[in-house]
Amino acid sequence: MTVIRFFSGEQIPVEMHKTKILQKLNLIPIDKRLEAITKAGYNTFLLSNSDVFLDMLTDSGTNAMSDRQLAAMMIADDSYAGSETFTRLKKVCQKIFDMEYFIPAHQGRACEHLLAQILVRPGQLVPMNYHFTTTKAHIVSMGGIVVELIHEEALNPESSFPFKGNMDVDALHELLSDRGPEQIAFVRMEAGTNLIGGQPFSLANLKNVYHVCREFGVPLVLDASLLADNLYFIKTREPGCKELTVAEIVREISRHTDVIYFSARKLGCARGGGICTTDQDLNARLSELLPLYEGFLTYGGMSVREMEALAVGLEETLDEDMISQGPMFIAYMVEELERQGVPVVTPAGGLGCHLDAMRFLDHVPQRQYPAGALAAALYIVSGVRGMERGTLSEQRNLDGTEPLANMELLRLALPRRVFTLSQVKYVIDRVVWLYHHRHLIGGLEFVEEPETLRFFLGRLAPIGDWPDKLAEAYAQELAVSHL
Ligand SMILES: *Cc1c(COP(=O)(O)O)cnc(C)c1O
């Protein structure tokens, strides 16, 4: 991995790639941003991208592709059945993960849907390091119950523990011996644990989880959507792993897992998804469901061009310079904000920088969605779009009550290889301004609340007229002028 040292002693992440294609950006004035967020029901998902300056909503399907990926798209072999492209992609998956079977799917949640259909029976438990929104929705829709066996540091936003995505292995052992394997659908580990701030698990922890699963004969399923970041952290943070190549770390991971699935909107910087396994019976059952929900066995809902790009993207995941840009930029952002006193989740993880809205807006009650309010406020003062990852992203209980999220985070995703350091500095500047004016920000309430995954399409309104006051204060101090 290339780490450049500066004569000045500064720590600046340097990109090991250059820009070949660009997209022009738009920064609309603050009064237009206020209009846009009002029209969007104070939900950043409902903003139109033409009203967004820097889109830090997600890394899903927004990572920059390499020239090799784009070139590969041109040789895609489009055929309904038996395409050469599928054979190439399958071979890459077999080589990297060392698993015989590969089932293509249109994206990560499609893999979760297929696996939940086959593996989860009503009343069964699915122990995991932490849930992800779509994962939980699919397990619950099959009557399963998610049990989170988190590490004691996982929900501490001010931590220096390097592997907050670790599972509590003793708790897993206790649960499996109490309930017995029949009551467990599968055990799930999520790489780069998304909802707690892109936090990794260690290779040692995964191995321990796997040994417990073996002892009880329960399958271990790995959600590898954010594996690239997790690989970087294992390589740079875990004792004994510095000498391993990334390819060797992946091999170790797959040797200690039964099923690996991923969203190729993240892993491999393309669009699509897939399930890898060595289990012949599971493969046969997945193959039966595939044509019903996704498409024929040789494309599973993906376009062949994306499949070619994915094959190259997966190989590039083994290149340390390719996977280090995201975590290095995120670390820069997290450390700079921390230095300026802004509450962020530490240590820096993958995926993005996470502002801790519980501390940032400690005057806004959790039932008024502080992370959602912070997302709206940041958009108003910067044109930057982040994503609420807190109570809004939770689903109501069956009895209609609203569970409060463990953490209220505003995630500012850094899609890989997309933004420059000056853009990251702009975001830091606006977040710091917002922090100094945080008392101006108030809460939100639902106007329209959908039943499932309400954060995608729900509409909210500010409680009081705080957005106008915030915009006024901003316009006086910092409004951008167009010469
Ligand atoms: C994004 C994501 C998914 C879902 O993938 P999609 O391609 O968006 O459907 C599942 N698990 C994790 C950890 C993710 O980050």
Side-chain angles (χ1 to χ4, degrees):
M1 189 165 0
T2 314
V3 180
I4 295 174
R5 289 195 209 299
F6 282 78
F7 179 53
S8 64
E10 270 185 284
Q11 289 241 320
I12 302 173
V14 176
E15 299 87 339
M16 295 307 292
H17 57 259
K18 64 175 183 179
T19 310
K20 275 201 190 182
I21 293 183
L22 54 82
Q23 177 181 354
K24 189 178 177 318
L25 293 174
N26 222 2
L27 178 54
I28 60 171
I30 188 155
D31 51 318
K32 293 274 184 271
R33 300 201 292 263
L34 200 53
E35 256 173 51
I37 195 74
T38 306
K39 235 175 72 192
Y42 279 77
N43 180 349
T44 53
F45 272 100
L46 301 181
L47 284 167
S48 152
N49 209 21
S50 56
D51 294 331
V52 171
F53 176 41
L54 303 176
D55 190 7
M56 298 189 164
L57 186 74
T58 175
D59 61 334
S60 177
T62 54
N63 297 310
M65 282 193 188
S66 70
D67 49 358
R68 293 180 59 243
Q69 284 184 287
L70 285 174
M73 290 173 102
M74 292 297 112
I75 56 163
D77 175 32
D78 214 347
S79 55
Y80 191 88
S83 101
E84 281 289 298
T85 292
F86 177 72
T87 308
R88 272 194 284 274
L89 174 58
K90 184 174 173 176
K91 276 196 181 135
V92 169
C93 290
Q94 285 171 330
K95 190 177 88 189
I96 294 177
F97 297 115
D98 198 20
M99 291 187 169
E100 189 175 346
Y101 305 107
F102 172 68
I103 296 284
H106 82 275
Q107 63 184 90
R109 70 200 67 185
C111 305
E112 292 170 339
H113 172 227
L114 296 171
L115 289 169
Q117 286 255 337
I118 292 170
L119 298 176
V120 180
R121 279 180 279 114
Q124 279 189 319
L125 309 181
V126 185
M128 55 182 70
N129 52 349
Y130 205 70
H131 79 280
F132 183 69
T133 50
T134 53
T135 325
K136 186 171 177 179
H138 280 298
I139 290 168
V140 169
S141 80
M142 292 304 297
I145 300 159
V146 167
V147 185
E148 288 168 335
L149 304 175
I150 51 177
H151 188 270
E152 58 184 9
E153 281 291 300
L155 301 179
N156 173 10
E158 295 170 88
S159 172
S160 58
F161 188 68
F163 294 107
K164 283 159 76 174
N166 278 358
M167 183 179 273
D168 182 339
V169 181
D170 292 337
L172 178 67
H173 196 276
E174 203 179 307
L175 183 76
L176 297 200
S177 43
D178 266 10
R179 299 300 190 100
E182 315 73 42
Q183 282 200 46
I184 311 291
F186 58 90
V187 174
R188 172 178 175 274
M189 283 291 276
E190 181 181 318
T193 323
N194 192 325
L195 296 190
I196 60 168
Q199 299 291 328
F201 58 66
S202 68
L203 184 56
N205 182 255
L206 181 77
K207 286 182 180 176
N208 289 335
V209 169
Y210 180 72
H211 292 135
V212 174
C213 290
R214 275 290 72 80
E215 184 184 334
F216 291 91
V218 172
L220 176 57
V221 175
L222 173 69
D223 180 344
S225 304
L226 303 180
L227 182 66
D229 298 332
N230 207 127
L231 290 170
Y232 169 87
F233 291 123
I234 288 176
K235 168 96 186 169
T236 55
R237 291 181 184 172
E238 187 161 351
C241 292
K242 292 193 176 51
E243 307 312 319
L244 300 177
T245 64
V246 175
E248 285 165 345
I249 297 172
V250 177
R251 279 295 173 104
E252 278 300 289
I253 288 174
S254 43
R255 275 198 329 120
H256 296 90
T257 319
D258 299 298
V259 180
I260 296 179
Y261 77 87
F262 58 91
S263 164
R265 298 178 64 83
K266 290 126 184 203
L267 189 69
C269 302
R271 285 155 198 83
I275 306 172
C276 304
T277 181
T278 49
D279 183 333
Q280 191 178 5
D281 178 53
L282 178 65
N283 177 61
R285 293 166 74 194
L286 286 165
S287 303
E288 269 180 43
L289 286 189
L290 202 62
L292 182 59
Y293 293 113
E294 298 298 306
F296 193 67
L297 292 171
T298 53
Y299 69 91
M302 275 186 278
S303 95
V304 279
R305 291 193 167 190
E306 295 291 346
M307 286 160 66
E308 290 286 359
L310 174 57
V312 174
L314 286 174
E315 278 185 331
E316 288 179 350
T317 300
L318 306 181
D319 177 337
E320 291 170 22
D321 281 335
M322 281 290 193
I323 61 172
S324 62
Q325 188 267 347
M328 278 163 61
F329 266 53
I330 292 162
Y332 178 86
M333 195 166 166
V334 167
E335 282 156 24
E336 197 55 31
L337 285 169
E338 201 185 9
R339 201 177 59 75
Q340 303 205 44
V342 177
V344 284
V345 173
T346 58
L351 180 56
C353 167
H354 296 72
L355 306 183
D356 180 3
M358 208 92 93
R359 280 182 288 154
F360 201 117
L361 297 181
D362 56 8
H363 59 285
V364 176
Q366 226 184 331
R367 297 244 176 252
Q368 295 182 13
Y369 314 120
L374 188 57
L378 181 64
Y379 170 72
I380 293 169
V381 305
S382 68
V384 173
R385 162 155 75 170
M387 187 193 290
E388 192 270 2
R389 293 276 79 159
T391 297
L392 275 182
S393 299
E394 294 288 329
Q395 193 125 321
R396 280 192 187 268
N397 298 317
L398 289 176
D399 65 6
T401 54
E402 183 182 51
L404 293 174
N406 291 322
M407 299 211 270
E408 293 290 333
L409 304 181
L410 170 57
R411 182 180 84 193
L412 300 172
L414 287 189
R416 290 151 196 92
R417 316 183 294 225
V418 169
F419 295 120
T420 62
L421 199 61
S422 54
Q423 289 168 335
V424 168
K425 285 187 168 193
Y426 168 79
V427 184
I428 292 170
D429 186 80
R430 269 25 184 186
V431 169
V432 171
W433 184 88
L434 204 53
Y435 188 61
H436 286 283
H437 294 76
R438 60 189 181 279
H439 58 278
L440 291 175
I441 304 171
L444 299 175
E445 62 191 352
F446 264 108
V447 179
E448 280 173 46
E449 185 182 341
E451 247 173 61
T452 39
L453 299 175
R454 59 184 186 168
F455 61 93
F456 281 130
L457 297 176
R459 305 184 75 83
L460 301 106
I463 298 171
D465 63 348
W466 63 262
D468 298 310
K469 299 228 167 72
L470 182 70
E472 265 166 46
Y474 180 86
Q476 276 170 18
E477 284 185 57
L478 280 178
V480 174
S481 58
H482 295 268
L483 298 177

